[in-house]
Amino acid sequence: MENSSDCDDIGNEFRAKVNGSASISQVSLGSSQKSVSLSKMGSFTPSKMSDKSSLRRNRSYGNMLASGNSEAKVLVIYTGGTIGMMRNEKNALEPIQNALVKNIRRFPHMHDVEYAQQRFGTGASMAPLVLPFVENEPRRVIYTISEYDPLLDSSNMTINDWVRIAEDIRQSYEFFDGFVVLHGTDTLSYTASALSFMLENLGKTVIITGSQIPIFETRTDGKDNFTSALIIAGNYVIPEVSVFFGSKLYRGNRTIKVSSASLDAFDTPNVPCLANVGINVEVDYRLIFRPCTVNRFCVHSHLDENVGILRLFPSITTATIRAFLQPPMRGVVLQSFGAGNIPSNREDMLQALKDASQNGMIIVNCTQCTTGSVCDLYETGRLLQDCGVISGYDMTPEAALTKLAYCLGKSEWSLEEKKKMMQRNLRGELTAGKSPEMQEFDLVDAVARSLHLSTPQELSQLGATLFPAMVNSAVKAGDLAKVELMKSYGADLSSVNYDYRTALHIAAAEGREDVVKHLLLHGVTVHVRDRHDRTPLMEAIANDHHAIIRLLIKCGAHITGSARGVGEFLCAAAARGRLERFESYRLAGADLSQPDPSGRTALHVAALHGHKKLVEYLLKNYVDKDEVDLLGLTAEDYAKRSGHEEICGILQSEHKNGMSH
């Protein structure tokens, strides 16, 4: 645990970073509300090298995590809904602005006051909330609540609100380990589906949750839903938009609301859940749909609102169908009977659908059934294909509708590309063809027999122990053939070993660029932190593998850890004249001017030790020569007192050049 001065420093740093005006949300940090700009919390990146003045003001505040603390930061976006409602003076439930955080601070099972005071200082009323200790979870969850004003009933949600949530996540993406969205249940599946498409190349956990009973009621499902979502978002990297409800974590774009009264209000009828929460959190990592591209996270915020759902019923008139298919409608989800059937004796209906398709409308055929998929098993289903209607396979209506809005909003795609994408599995939203069956692990079975293990629990534990060790061994040797062999046996390339290290950690540390590319293309995320809070990017920095650093940054990796910790690492590297280490940090987007706890920058230390080339490098990269430490000394003062006259001349020359400009 840090001492009080350290906690005050971190608390002040956090408060300084959130001092501004919010463009799209209110961040609730205490009983009083402060407007903050999430977009102003950005860390320094090489693309920001526009001028010296702006560079001197930047610091690597990317995370408020302090060295030595196993913590995770989660941003909670509170949009409204039943979960946050409270009793008014008439004892009726209603959303009350700015009351959620104030009340959470009074509930010891949701906020650890003692830990918060030790961590952020005695004046911690403006500090983030802290989830109490959870058995068997490696990190304490620190969470901040961003509350919308006004709070929204989910029935009133529109495309603009989906965009707002997505933009909030984008602006805060590098500063939090995971995200939880509190939402009303009525349209929760629509929001989850929409966000799954809008958040492209997602590498972090985004969980949407709500409740049937408000969180502060005596009998409630809200507390378990909320706290479980926080635990998963802070401790597990599940790079999907998911929904947590009733002890289960579901893929968001597969969910439907199945009950208005049950506490198990949601389900994914066509696929199993991603995780079960009982005494422990059990995640089935084999089911997680991972982005398999080498691209950074981004948000596609342009959705076409000219889409709709047309549900067929016996004797529906042609006039009704034609009226629905008129411009400005550009995409329609057609809910047909059974396995995708329509009346085969309705030439008028078929002609109306054919005319609309030929005029550029995308019509997606989905079944009205809760489970199952559309197919061309029957003649009536094939008739739709002949009319230009494309298959929606087993997509839910919510997923099909929001995917239509997403694809139609892609102006860079042609109409044919949009149709192809509608039938492609983009985010795990559909199963095209027969689902692959899980094969028995021959390798695990062979080892299990030799160890006399037989129960499913023993086999599962053996696989979880054996595969990461063998994959990591193959990765260290750079043997991609063996990595693929392990995958064919059933190994999850994203799994972690005892120290929570993935194969990507090993490949980054060993400098295996080809293996790093291979793992990234197989969906291994860049954001997993090991037992010592090191990411694959930190491993690449620590070993000065510049090509791998560039590759990881391209995939959305960023520096984690406290600003103070970055300053300490930079000063330590400066003392040894490690020029290549500074290039590593620069490529990773660090601010090379970041001071250590004594106020010294790397330039101070380089001047003190007489590292001329490093001094020149730092000045070239806009490190401020006039920065003073806690004693009021500049880098030039350090050079003078240590007798490095040549460095004094370089610093004085830089000063003259700066004055002339």
Side-chain angles (χ1 to χ4, degrees), residues 274-562:
L274 302 176
N276 282 281
V277 176
I279 294 177
N280 297 310
V281 178
E282 298 178 357
V283 180
D284 191 340
Y285 287 101
R286 296 172 299 175
L287 298 176
I288 295 172
F289 190 88
R290 303 176 184 277
C292 297
T293 58
V294 184
N295 290 303
R296 291 179 65 87
F297 166 76
C298 63
V299 171
H300 178 77
S301 58
H302 180 62
L303 302 180
D304 195 317
E305 62 183 10
N306 296 308
V307 295
I309 298 177
L310 175 60
R311 185 180 176 94
L312 296 183
F313 55 89
S315 296
I316 185 173
T317 66
T318 305
T320 299
I321 294 175
R322 287 194 179 277
F324 197 84
L325 299 177
Q326 290 298 310
M329 193 70 72
R330 298 183 62 211
V332 169
V333 177
L334 182 69
Q335 284 195 278
S336 55
F337 307 128
N341 304 315
I342 67 168
S344 61
N345 59 352
R346 291 285 303 275
E347 291 291 338
D348 53 342
M349 180 188 297
L350 293 170
Q351 190 61 47
L353 294 171
K354 186 174 183 178
D355 291 344
S357 178
Q358 289 178 344
N359 289 331
M361 181 174 294
I362 300 179
I363 306 175
V364 183
N365 185 18
C366 292
T367 177
Q368 296 180 12
C369 300
T370 302
T371 61
S373 174
V374 300
C375 65
D376 58 1
L377 180 63
Y378 301 101
E379 179 64 25
T380 49
R382 295 176 184 174
L383 290 175
L384 285 175
Q385 292 185 11
D386 295 337
C387 293
V389 177
I390 63 178
S391 175
Y393 298 99
D394 57 351
M395 279 193 289
T396 65
E398 296 90 337
L401 183 75
T402 54
K403 186 177 181 180
L404 259 179
Y406 168 79
C407 288
L408 288 169
K410 286 282 191 178
S411 58
E412 65 272 26
W413 291 350
S414 68
L415 179 62
E416 288 306 312
E417 285 177 311
K418 292 172 183 177
K419 288 183 178 181
K420 288 180 181 179
M421 291 300 176
M422 283 301 302
Q423 297 178 91
R424 183 177 296 177
N425 188 17
L426 300 181
R427 307 285 192 273
E429 73 281 1
L430 61 81
T431 306
K434 185 179 178 182
S435 300
E437 296 179 358
M438 291 292 179
Q439 301 295 325
E440 292 293 329
F441 299 159
D442 298 337
L443 180 63
V444 173
D445 287 343
V447 176
R449 284 194 296 270
S450 67
L451 297 176
H452 305 293
L453 305 176
S454 59
T455 67
Q457 293 82 2
E458 290 173 333
L459 289 173
S460 176
Q461 187 171 3
L462 177 62
T465 303
L466 184 64
F467 280 135
M470 298 187 73
V471 169
N472 289 349
S473 176
V475 166
K476 185 174 182 180
D479 192 341
L480 282 176
K482 188 174 290 185
V483 171
E484 280 299 292
L485 179 63
M486 291 297 103
K487 188 173 182 292
S488 70
Y489 276 128
D492 176 11
L493 300 185
S494 298
S495 62
V496 298
N497 64 9
Y498 178 78
D499 286 322
Y500 305 109
R501 290 167 66 80
T502 65
L504 191 58
H505 283 85
I506 307 299
E510 295 295 324
R512 303 288 186 180
E513 185 180 356
D514 57 337
V515 180
V516 168
K517 288 180 180 177
H518 184 82
L519 294 173
L520 292 174
L521 290 173
H522 281 78
V524 182
T525 180
V526 298
H527 298 296
V528 173
R529 288 188 282 145
D530 67 13
R531 185 179 299 277
H532 305 291
D533 279 344
R534 291 166 69 94
T535 63
L537 177 62
M538 296 307 297
E539 292 290 349
I541 292 173
N543 292 278
D544 299 314
H545 298 311
H546 295 167
I548 291 177
I549 292 172
R550 292 187 183 95
L551 189 58
L552 295 174
I553 289 293
K554 186 178 179 181
C555 263
H558 55 82
I559 292 177
T560 59
S562 67

